[in-house]
Amino acid sequence: MFLGEISPTAFRGALGSGTSIFLTVGILSGQVMGLDEVLGQEEFWPYLLSTTCIPAILQLLILPWFPESPRYLFIDKGDEEGCKKALRQLHGLADCDSSLEDIQKEKSNLAGFRAKKPWELFTDRSVRWQLLTIIVINMAQQLNGVNAMYFYADYVFLQSGIPIEKTPYATVGTGACECFTALTCGLLIECLGRKVLITGGYILMSICCILFTLTLAFQNVSPVFPYLSVACVFAFVLSFGLGPGGVTNILNNELFTQNARPAAFMIAGTVNWLSFFLVGLFFPFIVIGLQHYCFLVFFVVCSSVAVYILLVVPETKNKTFVEIQNEFKSSRNSSTSDGSGTTLLSTCL
């Protein structure tokens, strides 16, 4: 949220994707340090766990020197001078005026509105589509099968003939793939836009779910299929990193204005972690019941979310928060003036 609020409009996507880039770098670093040759042996576990202190200490040393969010200072606190000082520190003198003008427009649009509580968003019809969108995409980020794919990865690698002592290196390869695609997403997001990347990512993941199910079903038919399964694992991880992994957090930021954004982030985070908890709780039973056909469940999730984003979510590239809010309002107004089916769907939601 802080990254989204301090970023210039033209670079908001690229800077926002930095969270997923460094998240995947952290995952890859953990996988590498967990190898037996580094800190993966039992006697080194205390040292491995203690490395988490490094980023925490760095944040404690660096973050106090960061300015407060300019939008928070100007819109919430009414501190124009503090806002200008923060903008000069973050953007430099050249970008200060345009950024301040954008913040002033947002404040004018929110005149008379106060910061909302999380539960108030559920009763506010003006943000119902935005709220529904962040609930859908944050649920899908955990329920799309990427965690299940990591669960199956060791089995797939063993089936393809990789010795059990070498499977951790293959797992590092999946982490490297996700890191690479997160970086690619950061480079492409201001060029292709958010909607293309996240929709394309879910469509590719849907295709991978079908192919992975087929290759697992025919594991014993031909020695080629285990290798195809390995390819599906990497393709699935690549597809996730290219779209859903990087764009979801950016959309959490961009779909709301200043008075609703903190509450929306609380809801998005709660939904995300609750979905993660449910996957961890029920996935073992799903595997027992459906075995490799469990990926058909994830196919339904991925394909449904792709259709939802394609039909409902506008492109947010190079648009201010106010412009995005107005686009949702205009689409809502047009939907209520369409046929009865659309009106009924809008009313139900």
Side-chain angles (χ1 to χ4, degrees), residues 139-153 202 205-206 208-209 212 232-233 236-237 240 244 279 283 294-302:
M139 287 181 63
Q141 192 176 35
Q142 299 296 347
L143 302 180
N144 57 28
V146 68
N147 299 308
M149 189 65 74
Y150 278 117
F151 172 85
Y152 258 96
Y202 275 119
M205 291 172 73
S206 302
C208 289
C209 284
F212 192 59
C232 286
V233 170
F236 193 90
V237 172
F240 173 77
V279 168
F283 179 69
C294 66
F295 283 91
L296 295 179
V297 176
F298 301 125
F299 164 76
V300 173
V301 172
C302 293

PDB file of all heavy atoms in Angstrom, residues 139-153 202 205-206 208-209 212 232-233 236-237 240 244 279 283 294-302:
ATOM      1  N   MET A 139      -8.635 -14.532  -3.216  1.00  0.00           N
ATOM      2  CA  MET A 139      -8.959 -15.942  -3.031  1.00  0.00           C
ATOM      3  C   MET A 139      -8.271 -16.779  -4.096  1.00  0.00           C
ATOM      4  O   MET A 139      -7.669 -17.821  -3.809  1.00  0.00           O
ATOM      5  CB  MET A 139     -10.474 -16.147  -3.087  1.00  0.00           C
ATOM      6  CG  MET A 139     -11.238 -15.659  -1.883  1.00  0.00           C
ATOM      7  SD  MET A 139     -13.021 -15.970  -2.033  1.00  0.00           S
ATOM      8  CE  MET A 139     -13.047 -17.758  -2.085  1.00  0.00           C
ATOM      9  N   ALA A 140      -8.342 -16.298  -5.331  1.00  0.00           N
ATOM     10  CA  ALA A 140      -7.771 -17.065  -6.439  1.00  0.00           C
ATOM     11  C   ALA A 140      -6.259 -17.174  -6.340  1.00  0.00           C
ATOM     12  O   ALA A 140      -5.673 -18.169  -6.774  1.00  0.00           O
ATOM     13  CB  ALA A 140      -8.158 -16.412  -7.765  1.00  0.00           C
ATOM     14  N   GLN A 141      -5.605 -16.157  -5.770  1.00  0.00           N
ATOM     15  CA  GLN A 141      -4.150 -16.212  -5.652  1.00  0.00           C
ATOM     16  C   GLN A 141      -3.689 -17.405  -4.823  1.00  0.00           C
ATOM     17  O   GLN A 141      -2.605 -17.946  -5.054  1.00  0.00           O
ATOM     18  CB  GLN A 141      -3.624 -14.909  -5.039  1.00  0.00           C
ATOM     19  CG  GLN A 141      -2.104 -14.772  -5.150  1.00  0.00           C
ATOM     20  CD  GLN A 141      -1.600 -13.450  -4.622  1.00  0.00           C
ATOM     21  OE1 GLN A 141      -2.135 -12.916  -3.657  1.00  0.00           O
ATOM     22  NE2 GLN A 141      -0.567 -12.913  -5.242  1.00  0.00           N
ATOM     23  N   GLN A 142      -4.510 -17.852  -3.878  1.00  0.00           N
ATOM     24  CA  GLN A 142      -4.165 -19.008  -3.056  1.00  0.00           C
ATOM     25  C   GLN A 142      -4.849 -20.288  -3.533  1.00  0.00           C
ATOM     26  O   GLN A 142      -4.326 -21.387  -3.318  1.00  0.00           O
ATOM     27  CB  GLN A 142      -4.540 -18.748  -1.596  1.00  0.00           C
ATOM     28  CG  GLN A 142      -3.835 -17.572  -0.950  1.00  0.00           C
ATOM     29  CD  GLN A 142      -2.331 -17.757  -0.847  1.00  0.00           C
ATOM     30  OE1 GLN A 142      -1.810 -18.857  -1.032  1.00  0.00           O
ATOM     31  NE2 GLN A 142      -1.624 -16.686  -0.569  1.00  0.00           N
ATOM     32  N   LEU A 143      -6.012 -20.160  -4.174  1.00  0.00           N
ATOM     33  CA  LEU A 143      -6.789 -21.336  -4.579  1.00  0.00           C
ATOM     34  C   LEU A 143      -6.538 -21.738  -6.022  1.00  0.00           C
ATOM     35  O   LEU A 143      -7.220 -22.625  -6.545  1.00  0.00           O
ATOM     36  CB  LEU A 143      -8.292 -21.063  -4.383  1.00  0.00           C
ATOM     37  CG  LEU A 143      -8.746 -20.681  -2.972  1.00  0.00           C
ATOM     38  CD1 LEU A 143     -10.254 -20.440  -2.944  1.00  0.00           C
ATOM     39  CD2 LEU A 143      -8.376 -21.755  -1.964  1.00  0.00           C
ATOM     40  N   ASN A 144      -5.579 -21.084  -6.698  1.00  0.00           N
ATOM     41  CA  ASN A 144      -5.355 -21.375  -8.120  1.00  0.00           C
ATOM     42  C   ASN A 144      -4.505 -22.615  -8.363  1.00  0.00           C
ATOM     43  O   ASN A 144      -4.321 -23.028  -9.509  1.00  0.00           O
ATOM     44  CB  ASN A 144      -4.728 -20.173  -8.822  1.00  0.00           C
ATOM     45  CG  ASN A 144      -3.418 -19.738  -8.183  1.00  0.00           C
ATOM     46  OD1 ASN A 144      -2.700 -20.546  -7.590  1.00  0.00           O
ATOM     47  ND2 ASN A 144      -3.098 -18.458  -8.301  1.00  0.00           N
ATOM     48  N   GLY A 145      -3.956 -23.218  -7.319  1.00  0.00           N
ATOM     49  CA  GLY A 145      -3.231 -24.466  -7.474  1.00  0.00           C
ATOM     50  C   GLY A 145      -1.724 -24.358  -7.432  1.00  0.00           C
ATOM     51  O   GLY A 145      -1.036 -25.381  -7.510  1.00  0.00           O
ATOM     52  N   VAL A 146      -1.180 -23.151  -7.283  1.00  0.00           N
ATOM     53  CA  VAL A 146       0.281 -23.033  -7.300  1.00  0.00           C
ATOM     54  C   VAL A 146       0.895 -23.737  -6.093  1.00  0.00           C
ATOM     55  O   VAL A 146       1.962 -24.367  -6.204  1.00  0.00           O
ATOM     56  CB  VAL A 146       0.709 -21.550  -7.369  1.00  0.00           C
ATOM     57  CG1 VAL A 146       0.374 -20.795  -6.083  1.00  0.00           C
ATOM     58  CG2 VAL A 146       2.192 -21.434  -7.687  1.00  0.00           C
ATOM     59  N   ASN A 147       0.230 -23.669  -4.946  1.00  0.00           N
ATOM     60  CA  ASN A 147       0.729 -24.391  -3.772  1.00  0.00           C
ATOM     61  C   ASN A 147       0.634 -25.899  -3.970  1.00  0.00           C
ATOM     62  O   ASN A 147       1.519 -26.657  -3.540  1.00  0.00           O
ATOM     63  CB  ASN A 147      -0.049 -23.966  -2.526  1.00  0.00           C
ATOM     64  CG  ASN A 147       0.101 -22.490  -2.227  1.00  0.00           C
ATOM     65  OD1 ASN A 147       1.196 -21.977  -2.154  1.00  0.00           O
ATOM     66  ND2 ASN A 147      -1.015 -21.796  -2.073  1.00  0.00           N
ATOM     67  N   ALA A 148      -0.443 -26.336  -4.616  1.00  0.00           N
ATOM     68  CA  ALA A 148      -0.594 -27.760  -4.917  1.00  0.00           C
ATOM     69  C   ALA A 148       0.472 -28.230  -5.899  1.00  0.00           C
ATOM     70  O   ALA A 148       0.974 -29.355  -5.807  1.00  0.00           O
ATOM     71  CB  ALA A 148      -1.985 -28.017  -5.487  1.00  0.00           C
ATOM     72  N   MET A 149       0.827 -27.362  -6.832  1.00  0.00           N
ATOM     73  CA  MET A 149       1.861 -27.724  -7.806  1.00  0.00           C
ATOM     74  C   MET A 149       3.199 -27.943  -7.108  1.00  0.00           C
ATOM     75  O   MET A 149       3.935 -28.887  -7.438  1.00  0.00           O
ATOM     76  CB  MET A 149       1.973 -26.625  -8.866  1.00  0.00           C
ATOM     77  CG  MET A 149       2.850 -26.993 -10.046  1.00  0.00           C
ATOM     78  SD  MET A 149       2.179 -28.365 -11.020  1.00  0.00           S
ATOM     79  CE  MET A 149       0.823 -27.575 -11.886  1.00  0.00           C
ATOM     80  N   TYR A 150       3.527 -27.086  -6.151  1.00  0.00           N
ATOM     81  CA  TYR A 150       4.758 -27.293  -5.376  1.00  0.00           C
ATOM     82  C   TYR A 150       4.674 -28.593  -4.573  1.00  0.00           C
ATOM     83  O   TYR A 150       5.679 -29.289  -4.391  1.00  0.00           O
ATOM     84  CB  TYR A 150       5.003 -26.111  -4.441  1.00  0.00           C
ATOM     85  CG  TYR A 150       5.655 -24.930  -5.114  1.00  0.00           C
ATOM     86  CD1 TYR A 150       5.014 -23.698  -5.216  1.00  0.00           C
ATOM     87  CD2 TYR A 150       6.939 -25.038  -5.647  1.00  0.00           C
ATOM     88  CE1 TYR A 150       5.624 -22.614  -5.832  1.00  0.00           C
ATOM     89  CE2 TYR A 150       7.557 -23.957  -6.259  1.00  0.00           C
ATOM     90  CZ  TYR A 150       6.896 -22.750  -6.350  1.00  0.00           C
ATOM     91  OH  TYR A 150       7.512 -21.689  -6.965  1.00  0.00           O
ATOM     92  N   PHE A 151       3.466 -28.923  -4.097  1.00  0.00           N
ATOM     93  CA  PHE A 151       3.260 -30.161  -3.346  1.00  0.00           C
ATOM     94  C   PHE A 151       3.570 -31.378  -4.221  1.00  0.00           C
ATOM     95  O   PHE A 151       4.183 -32.357  -3.767  1.00  0.00           O
ATOM     96  CB  PHE A 151       1.814 -30.214  -2.838  1.00  0.00           C
ATOM     97  CG  PHE A 151       1.420 -31.521  -2.212  1.00  0.00           C
ATOM     98  CD1 PHE A 151       1.683 -31.775  -0.873  1.00  0.00           C
ATOM     99  CD2 PHE A 151       0.773 -32.497  -2.948  1.00  0.00           C
ATOM    100  CE1 PHE A 151       1.313 -32.982  -0.293  1.00  0.00           C
ATOM    101  CE2 PHE A 151       0.400 -33.710  -2.372  1.00  0.00           C
ATOM    102  CZ  PHE A 151       0.670 -33.948  -1.040  1.00  0.00           C
ATOM    103  N   TYR A 152       3.136 -31.325  -5.492  1.00  0.00           N
ATOM    104  CA  TYR A 152       3.322 -32.437  -6.414  1.00  0.00           C
ATOM    105  C   TYR A 152       4.712 -32.454  -7.052  1.00  0.00           C
ATOM    106  O   TYR A 152       5.091 -33.440  -7.679  1.00  0.00           O
ATOM    107  CB  TYR A 152       2.275 -32.370  -7.533  1.00  0.00           C
ATOM    108  CG  TYR A 152       1.121 -33.327  -7.355  1.00  0.00           C
ATOM    109  CD1 TYR A 152      -0.070 -32.911  -6.783  1.00  0.00           C
ATOM    110  CD2 TYR A 152       1.217 -34.645  -7.765  1.00  0.00           C
ATOM    111  CE1 TYR A 152      -1.136 -33.776  -6.619  1.00  0.00           C
ATOM    112  CE2 TYR A 152       0.159 -35.533  -7.608  1.00  0.00           C
ATOM    113  CZ  TYR A 152      -1.018 -35.089  -7.038  1.00  0.00           C
ATOM    114  OH  TYR A 152      -2.066 -35.960  -6.868  1.00  0.00           O
ATOM    115  N   ALA A 153       5.459 -31.365  -6.917  1.00  0.00           N
ATOM    116  CA  ALA A 153       6.712 -31.226  -7.663  1.00  0.00           C
ATOM    117  C   ALA A 153       7.693 -32.358  -7.372  1.00  0.00           C
ATOM    118  O   ALA A 153       8.266 -32.949  -8.305  1.00  0.00           O
ATOM    119  CB  ALA A 153       7.347 -29.869  -7.354  1.00  0.00           C
ATOM    120  N   TYR A 202      -3.849 -16.384 -15.872  1.00  0.00           N
ATOM    121  CA  TYR A 202      -4.850 -17.369 -15.446  1.00  0.00           C
ATOM    122  C   TYR A 202      -5.269 -18.284 -16.601  1.00  0.00           C
ATOM    123  O   TYR A 202      -5.568 -19.471 -16.389  1.00  0.00           O
ATOM    124  CB  TYR A 202      -6.070 -16.669 -14.854  1.00  0.00           C
ATOM    125  CG  TYR A 202      -5.903 -16.333 -13.385  1.00  0.00           C
ATOM    126  CD1 TYR A 202      -5.944 -15.023 -12.928  1.00  0.00           C
ATOM    127  CD2 TYR A 202      -5.697 -17.340 -12.450  1.00  0.00           C
ATOM    128  CE1 TYR A 202      -5.783 -14.721 -11.585  1.00  0.00           C
ATOM    129  CE2 TYR A 202      -5.535 -17.052 -11.097  1.00  0.00           C
ATOM    130  CZ  TYR A 202      -5.574 -15.737 -10.680  1.00  0.00           C
ATOM    131  OH  TYR A 202      -5.402 -15.454  -9.352  1.00  0.00           O
ATOM    132  N   MET A 205      -2.504 -20.790 -16.880  1.00  0.00           N
ATOM    133  CA  MET A 205      -2.588 -21.730 -15.753  1.00  0.00           C
ATOM    134  C   MET A 205      -3.717 -22.737 -15.964  1.00  0.00           C
ATOM    135  O   MET A 205      -3.584 -23.915 -15.602  1.00  0.00           O
ATOM    136  CB  MET A 205      -2.781 -20.962 -14.447  1.00  0.00           C
ATOM    137  CG  MET A 205      -1.558 -20.158 -14.022  1.00  0.00           C
ATOM    138  SD  MET A 205      -1.867 -19.067 -12.607  1.00  0.00           S
ATOM    139  CE  MET A 205      -1.956 -20.261 -11.277  1.00  0.00           C
ATOM    140  N   SER A 206      -4.828 -22.292 -16.548  1.00  0.00           N
ATOM    141  CA  SER A 206      -5.935 -23.212 -16.839  1.00  0.00           C
ATOM    142  C   SER A 206      -5.500 -24.286 -17.818  1.00  0.00           C
ATOM    143  O   SER A 206      -5.807 -25.477 -17.643  1.00  0.00           O
ATOM    144  CB  SER A 206      -7.129 -22.432 -17.417  1.00  0.00           C
ATOM    145  OG  SER A 206      -7.564 -21.422 -16.540  1.00  0.00           O
ATOM    146  N   CYS A 208      -2.430 -25.297 -18.324  1.00  0.00           N
ATOM    147  CA  CYS A 208      -1.455 -26.157 -17.641  1.00  0.00           C
ATOM    148  C   CYS A 208      -2.142 -27.171 -16.731  1.00  0.00           C
ATOM    149  O   CYS A 208      -1.675 -28.307 -16.594  1.00  0.00           O
ATOM    150  CB  CYS A 208      -0.477 -25.310 -16.831  1.00  0.00           C
ATOM    151  SG  CYS A 208       0.689 -24.351 -17.844  1.00  0.00           S
ATOM    152  N   CYS A 209      -3.242 -26.770 -16.085  1.00  0.00           N
ATOM    153  CA  CYS A 209      -3.979 -27.700 -15.221  1.00  0.00           C
ATOM    154  C   CYS A 209      -4.488 -28.894 -16.019  1.00  0.00           C
ATOM    155  O   CYS A 209      -4.391 -30.050 -15.566  1.00  0.00           O
ATOM    156  CB  CYS A 209      -5.157 -26.980 -14.555  1.00  0.00           C
ATOM    157  SG  CYS A 209      -4.700 -25.901 -13.191  1.00  0.00           S
ATOM    158  N   PHE A 212      -1.403 -30.971 -17.165  1.00  0.00           N
ATOM    159  CA  PHE A 212      -0.774 -31.655 -16.036  1.00  0.00           C
ATOM    160  C   PHE A 212      -1.607 -32.866 -15.609  1.00  0.00           C
ATOM    161  O   PHE A 212      -1.066 -33.933 -15.289  1.00  0.00           O
ATOM    162  CB  PHE A 212      -0.601 -30.680 -14.875  1.00  0.00           C
ATOM    163  CG  PHE A 212       0.287 -31.188 -13.778  1.00  0.00           C
ATOM    164  CD1 PHE A 212       1.601 -31.545 -14.039  1.00  0.00           C
ATOM    165  CD2 PHE A 212      -0.178 -31.303 -12.479  1.00  0.00           C
ATOM    166  CE1 PHE A 212       2.429 -32.010 -13.022  1.00  0.00           C
ATOM    167  CE2 PHE A 212       0.638 -31.770 -11.459  1.00  0.00           C
ATOM    168  CZ  PHE A 212       1.949 -32.124 -11.734  1.00  0.00           C
ATOM    169  N   CYS A 232       5.165 -29.203 -17.384  1.00  0.00           N
ATOM    170  CA  CYS A 232       3.933 -28.564 -16.918  1.00  0.00           C
ATOM    171  C   CYS A 232       4.143 -27.863 -15.580  1.00  0.00           C
ATOM    172  O   CYS A 232       3.567 -26.794 -15.337  1.00  0.00           O
ATOM    173  CB  CYS A 232       2.819 -29.600 -16.788  1.00  0.00           C
ATOM    174  SG  CYS A 232       2.144 -30.163 -18.361  1.00  0.00           S
ATOM    175  N   VAL A 233       4.947 -28.459 -14.688  1.00  0.00           N
ATOM    176  CA  VAL A 233       5.239 -27.824 -13.401  1.00  0.00           C
ATOM    177  C   VAL A 233       5.887 -26.468 -13.624  1.00  0.00           C
ATOM    178  O   VAL A 233       5.459 -25.446 -13.058  1.00  0.00           O
ATOM    179  CB  VAL A 233       6.160 -28.721 -12.550  1.00  0.00           C
ATOM    180  CG1 VAL A 233       6.664 -27.959 -11.322  1.00  0.00           C
ATOM    181  CG2 VAL A 233       5.428 -29.974 -12.104  1.00  0.00           C
ATOM    182  N   PHE A 236       3.464 -23.952 -15.296  1.00  0.00           N
ATOM    183  CA  PHE A 236       2.465 -23.456 -14.352  1.00  0.00           C
ATOM    184  C   PHE A 236       3.055 -22.373 -13.461  1.00  0.00           C
ATOM    185  O   PHE A 236       2.442 -21.317 -13.254  1.00  0.00           O
ATOM    186  CB  PHE A 236       1.942 -24.618 -13.505  1.00  0.00           C
ATOM    187  CG  PHE A 236       0.705 -24.294 -12.718  1.00  0.00           C
ATOM    188  CD1 PHE A 236      -0.552 -24.499 -13.265  1.00  0.00           C
ATOM    189  CD2 PHE A 236       0.788 -23.799 -11.428  1.00  0.00           C
ATOM    190  CE1 PHE A 236      -1.695 -24.211 -12.539  1.00  0.00           C
ATOM    191  CE2 PHE A 236      -0.346 -23.511 -10.702  1.00  0.00           C
ATOM    192  CZ  PHE A 236      -1.592 -23.715 -11.254  1.00  0.00           C
ATOM    193  N   VAL A 237       4.248 -22.625 -12.931  1.00  0.00           N
ATOM    194  CA  VAL A 237       4.911 -21.643 -12.060  1.00  0.00           C
ATOM    195  C   VAL A 237       5.233 -20.370 -12.852  1.00  0.00           C
ATOM    196  O   VAL A 237       5.066 -19.247 -12.348  1.00  0.00           O
ATOM    197  CB  VAL A 237       6.182 -22.248 -11.443  1.00  0.00           C
ATOM    198  CG1 VAL A 237       6.983 -21.187 -10.697  1.00  0.00           C
ATOM    199  CG2 VAL A 237       5.823 -23.384 -10.500  1.00  0.00           C
ATOM    200  N   PHE A 240       2.020 -18.376 -13.317  1.00  0.00           N
ATOM    201  CA  PHE A 240       1.615 -17.705 -12.072  1.00  0.00           C
ATOM    202  C   PHE A 240       2.459 -16.457 -11.822  1.00  0.00           C
ATOM    203  O   PHE A 240       1.931 -15.391 -11.493  1.00  0.00           O
ATOM    204  CB  PHE A 240       1.760 -18.676 -10.901  1.00  0.00           C
ATOM    205  CG  PHE A 240       1.524 -18.039  -9.560  1.00  0.00           C
ATOM    206  CD1 PHE A 240       0.243 -17.766  -9.117  1.00  0.00           C
ATOM    207  CD2 PHE A 240       2.590 -17.703  -8.731  1.00  0.00           C
ATOM    208  CE1 PHE A 240       0.019 -17.173  -7.883  1.00  0.00           C
ATOM    209  CE2 PHE A 240       2.379 -17.121  -7.489  1.00  0.00           C
ATOM    210  CZ  PHE A 240       1.091 -16.851  -7.072  1.00  0.00           C
ATOM    211  N   PRO A 244      -0.796 -13.493 -12.133  1.00  0.00           N
ATOM    212  CA  PRO A 244      -1.446 -13.430 -10.808  1.00  0.00           C
ATOM    213  C   PRO A 244      -0.499 -13.123  -9.669  1.00  0.00           C
ATOM    214  O   PRO A 244      -0.846 -12.377  -8.743  1.00  0.00           O
ATOM    215  CB  PRO A 244      -2.046 -14.840 -10.658  1.00  0.00           C
ATOM    216  CG  PRO A 244      -2.241 -15.317 -12.050  1.00  0.00           C
ATOM    217  CD  PRO A 244      -1.121 -14.745 -12.853  1.00  0.00           C
ATOM    218  N   VAL A 279      -6.557 -23.939   1.987  1.00  0.00           N
ATOM    219  CA  VAL A 279      -5.821 -24.821   1.087  1.00  0.00           C
ATOM    220  C   VAL A 279      -4.986 -25.814   1.890  1.00  0.00           C
ATOM    221  O   VAL A 279      -4.982 -27.022   1.629  1.00  0.00           O
ATOM    222  CB  VAL A 279      -4.913 -24.008   0.131  1.00  0.00           C
ATOM    223  CG1 VAL A 279      -3.930 -24.920  -0.598  1.00  0.00           C
ATOM    224  CG2 VAL A 279      -5.752 -23.267  -0.881  1.00  0.00           C
ATOM    225  N   PHE A 283      -6.500 -29.446   1.262  1.00  0.00           N
ATOM    226  CA  PHE A 283      -5.849 -30.016   0.085  1.00  0.00           C
ATOM    227  C   PHE A 283      -5.441 -31.475   0.274  1.00  0.00           C
ATOM    228  O   PHE A 283      -5.608 -32.285  -0.654  1.00  0.00           O
ATOM    229  CB  PHE A 283      -4.637 -29.169  -0.326  1.00  0.00           C
ATOM    230  CG  PHE A 283      -3.925 -29.721  -1.526  1.00  0.00           C
ATOM    231  CD1 PHE A 283      -4.522 -29.704  -2.781  1.00  0.00           C
ATOM    232  CD2 PHE A 283      -2.652 -30.267  -1.409  1.00  0.00           C
ATOM    233  CE1 PHE A 283      -3.872 -30.218  -3.882  1.00  0.00           C
ATOM    234  CE2 PHE A 283      -1.997 -30.785  -2.506  1.00  0.00           C
ATOM    235  CZ  PHE A 283      -2.611 -30.757  -3.749  1.00  0.00           C
ATOM    236  N   CYS A 294      -7.322 -33.643  -8.953  1.00  0.00           N
ATOM    237  CA  CYS A 294      -7.567 -32.437  -8.148  1.00  0.00           C
ATOM    238  C   CYS A 294      -7.271 -31.171  -8.946  1.00  0.00           C
ATOM    239  O   CYS A 294      -7.811 -30.099  -8.646  1.00  0.00           O
ATOM    240  CB  CYS A 294      -6.737 -32.472  -6.869  1.00  0.00           C
ATOM    241  SG  CYS A 294      -4.949 -32.366  -7.121  1.00  0.00           S
ATOM    242  N   PHE A 295      -6.431 -31.269  -9.974  1.00  0.00           N
ATOM    243  CA  PHE A 295      -6.090 -30.080 -10.751  1.00  0.00           C
ATOM    244  C   PHE A 295      -7.234 -29.629 -11.648  1.00  0.00           C
ATOM    245  O   PHE A 295      -7.208 -28.519 -12.173  1.00  0.00           O
ATOM    246  CB  PHE A 295      -4.818 -30.319 -11.560  1.00  0.00           C
ATOM    247  CG  PHE A 295      -3.582 -30.232 -10.716  1.00  0.00           C
ATOM    248  CD1 PHE A 295      -3.057 -31.350 -10.104  1.00  0.00           C
ATOM    249  CD2 PHE A 295      -2.970 -29.006 -10.486  1.00  0.00           C
ATOM    250  CE1 PHE A 295      -1.931 -31.264  -9.291  1.00  0.00           C
ATOM    251  CE2 PHE A 295      -1.851 -28.907  -9.681  1.00  0.00           C
ATOM    252  CZ  PHE A 295      -1.330 -30.040  -9.082  1.00  0.00           C
ATOM    253  N   LEU A 296      -8.237 -30.481 -11.803  1.00  0.00           N
ATOM    254  CA  LEU A 296      -9.441 -30.034 -12.512  1.00  0.00           C
ATOM    255  C   LEU A 296     -10.197 -29.010 -11.676  1.00  0.00           C
ATOM    256  O   LEU A 296     -10.851 -28.115 -12.217  1.00  0.00           O
ATOM    257  CB  LEU A 296     -10.334 -31.236 -12.826  1.00  0.00           C
ATOM    258  CG  LEU A 296      -9.739 -32.256 -13.812  1.00  0.00           C
ATOM    259  CD1 LEU A 296     -10.713 -33.410 -14.018  1.00  0.00           C
ATOM    260  CD2 LEU A 296      -9.389 -31.594 -15.132  1.00  0.00           C
ATOM    261  N   VAL A 297     -10.116 -29.142 -10.342  1.00  0.00           N
ATOM    262  CA  VAL A 297     -10.706 -28.140  -9.449  1.00  0.00           C
ATOM    263  C   VAL A 297     -10.011 -26.802  -9.658  1.00  0.00           C
ATOM    264  O   VAL A 297     -10.660 -25.749  -9.771  1.00  0.00           O
ATOM    265  CB  VAL A 297     -10.597 -28.582  -7.980  1.00  0.00           C
ATOM    266  CG1 VAL A 297     -11.128 -27.491  -7.049  1.00  0.00           C
ATOM    267  CG2 VAL A 297     -11.335 -29.891  -7.757  1.00  0.00           C
ATOM    268  N   PHE A 298      -8.689 -26.825  -9.742  1.00  0.00           N
ATOM    269  CA  PHE A 298      -7.930 -25.593  -9.945  1.00  0.00           C
ATOM    270  C   PHE A 298      -8.159 -25.019 -11.348  1.00  0.00           C
ATOM    271  O   PHE A 298      -8.098 -23.815 -11.544  1.00  0.00           O
ATOM    272  CB  PHE A 298      -6.448 -25.848  -9.702  1.00  0.00           C
ATOM    273  CG  PHE A 298      -6.154 -26.352  -8.312  1.00  0.00           C
ATOM    274  CD1 PHE A 298      -5.453 -27.535  -8.115  1.00  0.00           C
ATOM    275  CD2 PHE A 298      -6.600 -25.662  -7.202  1.00  0.00           C
ATOM    276  CE1 PHE A 298      -5.196 -28.010  -6.837  1.00  0.00           C
ATOM    277  CE2 PHE A 298      -6.352 -26.124  -5.920  1.00  0.00           C
ATOM    278  CZ  PHE A 298      -5.648 -27.290  -5.734  1.00  0.00           C
ATOM    279  N   PHE A 299      -8.424 -25.908 -12.307  1.00  0.00           N
ATOM    280  CA  PHE A 299      -8.786 -25.441 -13.651  1.00  0.00           C
ATOM    281  C   PHE A 299     -10.053 -24.599 -13.604  1.00  0.00           C
ATOM    282  O   PHE A 299     -10.137 -23.537 -14.237  1.00  0.00           O
ATOM    283  CB  PHE A 299      -8.979 -26.631 -14.591  1.00  0.00           C
ATOM    284  CG  PHE A 299      -9.706 -26.288 -15.864  1.00  0.00           C
ATOM    285  CD1 PHE A 299      -9.054 -25.619 -16.889  1.00  0.00           C
ATOM    286  CD2 PHE A 299     -11.052 -26.615 -16.014  1.00  0.00           C
ATOM    287  CE1 PHE A 299      -9.739 -25.281 -18.057  1.00  0.00           C
ATOM    288  CE2 PHE A 299     -11.734 -26.287 -17.181  1.00  0.00           C
ATOM    289  CZ  PHE A 299     -11.072 -25.620 -18.205  1.00  0.00           C
ATOM    290  N   VAL A 300     -11.049 -25.055 -12.849  1.00  0.00           N
ATOM    291  CA  VAL A 300     -12.308 -24.303 -12.717  1.00  0.00           C
ATOM    292  C   VAL A 300     -12.046 -22.944 -12.080  1.00  0.00           C
ATOM    293  O   VAL A 300     -12.572 -21.911 -12.529  1.00  0.00           O
ATOM    294  CB  VAL A 300     -13.331 -25.109 -11.892  1.00  0.00           C
ATOM    295  CG1 VAL A 300     -14.566 -24.263 -11.599  1.00  0.00           C
ATOM    296  CG2 VAL A 300     -13.719 -26.382 -12.617  1.00  0.00           C
ATOM    297  N   VAL A 301     -11.204 -22.915 -11.036  1.00  0.00           N
ATOM    298  CA  VAL A 301     -10.887 -21.657 -10.359  1.00  0.00           C
ATOM    299  C   VAL A 301     -10.191 -20.693 -11.324  1.00  0.00           C
ATOM    300  O   VAL A 301     -10.604 -19.535 -11.473  1.00  0.00           O
ATOM    301  CB  VAL A 301      -9.987 -21.914  -9.129  1.00  0.00           C
ATOM    302  CG1 VAL A 301      -9.504 -20.588  -8.543  1.00  0.00           C
ATOM    303  CG2 VAL A 301     -10.739 -22.708  -8.075  1.00  0.00           C
ATOM    304  N   CYS A 302      -9.148 -21.162 -11.997  1.00  0.00           N
ATOM    305  CA  CYS A 302      -8.352 -20.295 -12.868  1.00  0.00           C
ATOM    306  C   CYS A 302      -9.167 -19.772 -14.044  1.00  0.00           C
ATOM    307  O   CYS A 302      -9.116 -18.580 -14.376  1.00  0.00           O
ATOM    308  CB  CYS A 302      -7.117 -21.039 -13.379  1.00  0.00           C
ATOM    309  SG  CYS A 302      -5.899 -21.434 -12.108  1.00  0.00           S
TER     310      CYS A 302
END
